[in-house]
Every structure is written in C-alpha cells, then in structure tokens.
Amino acid sequence: MYNTKAYSAASATSPLAATTIPRREPTDRDVQIEILFCGICHSDLHAVRNEWSSIMPTTYPIVPGHEIVGRATKVGSAVIKFKPGDLAAVGCLVDSDGTCPNCKAGLEQFCANLTLTFNSPDKHLGGVTYGGYSASMVVDEGFVLRVPSNLALAGAAPLLCAGITTYSPMRHWRVTTGKKVGVVGLGGLGHMAVKFAHALGAHVVVFTTSPSKKEDALRLGADEVVVSRHTGEMRKHVGSFDFILDAVSAEHDINPYINLLGRDGNLTLVGAPAKPLGVSAFALIMARRNLSGSNIGGIAETQEMLDFCGAHNITADVEVIPIQKVNEAYDRLLKSEVKYRFSIDMASLKSA
Ligand SMILES: [Zn+2]
Ligand SMILES: [Zn+2]
C-alpha cells in the first residue's frame, strides 16, 4: 500500500477538499497510473451529494472521478498491453467477475458483480474504491484503455464517460452514412453525440431549448438545429428520424421526439430523469418505434471508441481547471455554465 494525494468529500454537504488516500501496490496484473487529467461528470456531483441514495448510497469519504487519462508508471509482471511511460485511461469500471453472460459478451457495464471506479466495494483494500480526483491509481490491466497519441489529453478524459455513453448506443443502433440522427440536449453528453454522429456520416439534427446554442451546434457538426419549443419547426420532421439520442436528465416530454421517428426508428435515453416519463403507446405502436436506454459501454467498445476518436481526431470541448476550483465548477455545472465539460489538470494537485 502507498498513499497518494486526492480530493474527497466528507459528507453530502461538505465541499471537496485535499486529502490523502491509500492505493494498493500493483499486483502482477495491475497498471499503476499517474493521473494527468480527470473530467467532471454529472454523476460525480450526484454521488458526492448522495443524490442517488436510493439506488447507490454514497460511502464517505468519497473520491469521485471516472474520466481518467494518465501515464503508466509501473506495471505488474503479467501485464502485456502497457509499459511504464505509456498513455493509459480508465473509465467508469475497474473490475467485473469476467464469468457472467454480460462479461462474456464484452458488456462488463451490465455485470451484476462489477466494480465501479469510485464508491464500489474495494476487493483489494476493503472500504470503497476511490476515483480519479487523485494523483495516482492502480487498476487491473483488463480495465485500462489505450489512448491514441494524437489526442489532446485534457479533452480526451471526458471520452471515458461522456464519449462512450453516446458512442455505444449509436453503434448498437447502427448509426451510419445516410441515417438521420437527432440529439436532444447540447451539454456534456449531447456535444459528444453530435461529434460522433457527424463523424459516422449521419445527417445530424440538434434539438435545443435555447436558440443561442445554434451556432455552437453547427460548429460541433450539426447539419440542422431545431428549437424544440417551436412546434412548427418540430412538425416538419415528424416521422423522419432513424435514431434520436436523448441526453436530457431534467424532466421533459419525450413524446414529441418519439413522433419524429420513422418506422422502426429508435429513441435512446442516456439522461436519467429522477421521475418516470410518460410514454404514448400509440406513438410507439403506429410505426413500430423503439424506446430504449443505454449505459456507458463495455471495455472492448470503449477501446474501439477511443481508436475511432484517434482516427477522426475527436475530443471533448473542455474548460481545464485546477483541482482547487472543483467546488466552483460543481456550482457552474448545475447551471450548465460550461462548454461542454470541465477537465481537471491533476498537476494542480501537487500544490494542494
Ligand atoms: Zn460519468
Ligand atoms: Zn460479469
């Protein structure tokens, strides 16, 4: 065991503050990583404030962060994919049982025995796992991703959650050249969805409540922008979409979007409103439309996504902050005052 610097919250109402946490010595299969950047995901904030207490209560102190890029500093004797000095990334998962049907299908994110990057029981040290708001971490090689060398690291960090969360359903529902794809909500997830849909060759339409986002949506790769309050604008698109990704986590009516789908079209939810959504059965029945959900992606697909980003030079649009500004960043995140993801420069932790 060794100690490393980190930022943690002591309770649901405490700000994040500098601390020291233990990490295991790398085993034969482990990669020790010096963390260079960690993105701030909305899940970090939910967990820090124990807002998902009914599904996954937070154990304190919590060290959040699951959008991690860094450099391997030490590798175990059985590690084959990494050597010291290599770029390395870690997303939302650090372990799973490897034996269940989901794991065998490469869908570790659905494993009943998965270990999340933070706030999951830690099989090695006891207590819970600590995430990426820290200087160093140790992860089983099977859950460490390779980072294409052409990607800017600050913007690459959010690919590990916001990126895979939007990439995976598009691959599953076969978004490709010639398809018409909608993106609802232009935030951390939505802006990545626009980039991916564009790079996959789709005709991309962004739905937004704020006309002020139009220019930005076009810059990110949208072909059209529809202000969702304008029913006339919405009506023009009825029955025409192959796929719509809904990244809105606030309460909202999804039926107008279901009606925009063509026959066999799919609306996938990646935002998670706390209250159940009302769905018109008619809207689904009349055109054999699909409504589904998606949650991050498996390890192999996450690697595929990173390689795709390398080939297309895709990263998140980030505002880089020192860790000392993390509490301020949380407040701004709640007001959607970030374009489009915060990325923490972990070098700042050295002076914490
Ligand atoms: Zn996340
Ligand atoms: Zn499993």
Side-chain angles (χ1 to χ4, degrees), residues 7-16 39-66 92 116-120 128-133 161 272 326-327 330 333-334:
Y7 253 54
S8 74
S11 78
T13 52
S14 313
L16 289 151
I40 297 181
C41 175
H42 214 118
S43 313
D44 299 351
L45 188 153
H46 286 302
V48 162
R49 300 186 180 174
N50 203 14
E51 289 169 352
W52 287 341
S53 57
S54 56
I55 312 156
M56 37 176 134
T58 302
T59 301
Y60 294 94
I62 178 175
V63 177
H66 59 202
C92 304
L116 294 169
T117 302
F118 61 84
N119 197 44
S120 251
V128 293
T129 51
Y130 294 133
Y133 295 11
C161 178
V326 68
N327 294 300
Y330 275 26
L333 184 61
L334 283 175

Side-chain angles (χ1 to χ4, degrees), residues 25 41 72 228 236:
E25 283 299 334
C41 175
S228 51
K236 277 188 241 161

Side-chain angles (χ1 to χ4, degrees), residues 26 73 119-120 129 136 150 152 158 189 201 241 244 255:
T73 44
N119 197 44
S120 251
T129 51
S136 165
N150 58 313
L189 294 175
F241 280 85
I244 298 176
N255 295 295

Side-chain angles (χ1 to χ4, degrees), residues 67-82:
E67 295 183 336
I68 300 159
V69 295
R71 219 170 260 291
T73 44
K74 203 193 267 185
V75 303
S77 58
V79 169
I80 49 174
K81 284 191 303 184
F82 296 90

